[in-house]
Every structure is written in C-alpha cells, then in structure tokens.
C-alpha cells in the first residue's frame, strides 16, 4: 500500500498543528519546517479546513490551528478522506480492463489486504502520533518556538 503525497502532507500539517498547540501557524511556517513546497500545502490546507480538521483565520495576524482535539482525529478516516483511489491493483478500480478478473483470485486478496491496512489505521488517532513523551523532540525537529 502506498499513500499519496497529498495524504502525507495532510498528516504532516495535522501533526505540526497538534504539536504546536493552540497558537496559529501559517502555511509558510509549516512548509519551512518540513522543507516542502508552500504551493503543495495550500490545496491540502484548503481541504483540511473544508473537512473540519482545521480552522483558518484570515488577516495579517491570521493562520490556522486544529479545529478538533488530536484524540478525535482518526488516522484511518483521514486516509480514506484524502486518498482519491485506494485501489492496489487494476482490478479494484472502476477502469479495470484486465481480462482475467472474473477468474483471478488477486482482487479478493488485495481487497482483504487493503481492509487490514485501513483497519489497523482505524485503531490510531493523531494523539497516538504525537505522544506526549515525543512532544519535546517534535518541537525541536520541526523548529517550533
């Protein structure tokens, strides 16, 4: 299983905001902390805001912060919401053109594997990702003042 950069960046934004607390953060700040493109993050932040994960405040002193507690952000749900296509093999997709799909056992095997993957992620929240004992190191690594 492979997640897209979009999901990866969504997780990174949420981790950053969870670690830094209630203080407002900017897209530029997060991009600089992870050394990633601000342009890539803009779309991610927009969608996270639309989905209610974060709140954004406009203006000169604006920024963003989490809109819900880290313990209320389920990793499995987030992955399902940010991944456009969870197909591992072609026969799982709506554009399947594989001739042997009707008699091939791969589709059911990969479907089972995908469910196991998502089921594992369903057991975790953002709070599990940013465990309190790791908070000081995360703050230092992300260069959050």
């Amino acid at each position: 299983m492979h997640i897209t950069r979009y999901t990866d960046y969504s997780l990174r934004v949420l981790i950053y905001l969870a670690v830094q607390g209630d203080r407002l953060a900017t897209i530029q700040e997060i991009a600089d902390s992870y050394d990633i493109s601000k342009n890539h993050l803009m779309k991610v932040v927009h969608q996270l805001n639309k989905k209610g994960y974060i709140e954004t405040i406009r203006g000169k002193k604006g920024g963003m912060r989490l809109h819900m507690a880290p313990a209320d952000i389920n990793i499995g749900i987030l992955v399902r919401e940010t991944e456009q296509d969870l197909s591992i093999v072609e026969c799982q997709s709506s554009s399947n053109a594989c001739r042997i799909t009707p008699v091939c056992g791969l589709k059911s095997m990969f479907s089972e594997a995908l469910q196991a993957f998502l089921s594992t992620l369903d057991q975790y929240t953002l709070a599990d990702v940013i465990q309190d004992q790791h908070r000081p190191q995360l703050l230092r690594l992300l260069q959050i003042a």
Side-chain angles (χ1 to χ4, degrees):
M1 182 67 210
H2 178 74
I3 62 170
T4 60
R5 181 175 293 158
Y6 184 88
T7 299
D8 178 22
Y9 287 2
S10 295
L11 288 163
R12 291 188 201 201
V13 167
L14 294 176
I15 290 166
Y16 186 96
L17 296 176
V19 169
Q20 61 107 35
D22 205 35
R23 183 182 68 79
L24 293 175
T26 66
I27 293 173
Q28 187 65 59
E29 209 177 294
I30 296 170
D32 291 346
S33 284
Y34 287 114
D35 196 25
I36 57 180
S37 166
K38 177 183 174 185
N39 292 335
H40 281 85
L41 285 184
M42 290 175 74
K43 182 178 177 186
V44 169
V45 166
H46 177 72
Q47 287 301 313
L48 289 173
N49 183 46
K50 258 177 92 170
K51 292 182 183 296
Y53 287 104
I54 65 173
E55 65 176 323
T56 57
I57 291 113
R58 291 187 170 297
K60 188 170 176 103
K61 301 225 178 195
M64 70 189 112
R65 63 178 158 229
L66 286 181
H67 187 65
M68 52 179 67
D72 294 332
I73 299 175
N74 181 277
I75 302 300
I77 292 171
L78 177 78
V79 167
R80 284 181 188 87
E81 290 182 347
T82 56
E83 285 295 313
Q84 290 188 8
D85 183 9
L86 287 168
S87 301
I88 300 172
V89 287
E90 180 184 344
C91 56
Q92 290 178 306
S93 74
S94 59
S95 61
N96 178 28
C98 181
R99 293 177 182 203
I100 64 170
T101 298
V103 294
C104 180
L106 283 178
K107 183 176 182 176
S108 63
M109 289 177 203
F110 279 105
S111 291
E112 185 179 339
L114 176 61
Q115 288 309 325
F117 174 76
L118 292 170
S119 177
T120 298
L121 294 178
D122 286 339
Q123 297 174 43
Y124 297 99
T125 68
L126 186 59
D128 296 316
V129 176
I130 60 155
Q131 300 168 22
D132 286 339
Q133 72 265 28
H134 298 301
R135 186 175 292 260
Q137 293 96 326
L138 285 167
L139 287 166
R140 182 177 45 75
L141 291 169
L142 292 172
Q143 302 170 1
I144 299 173

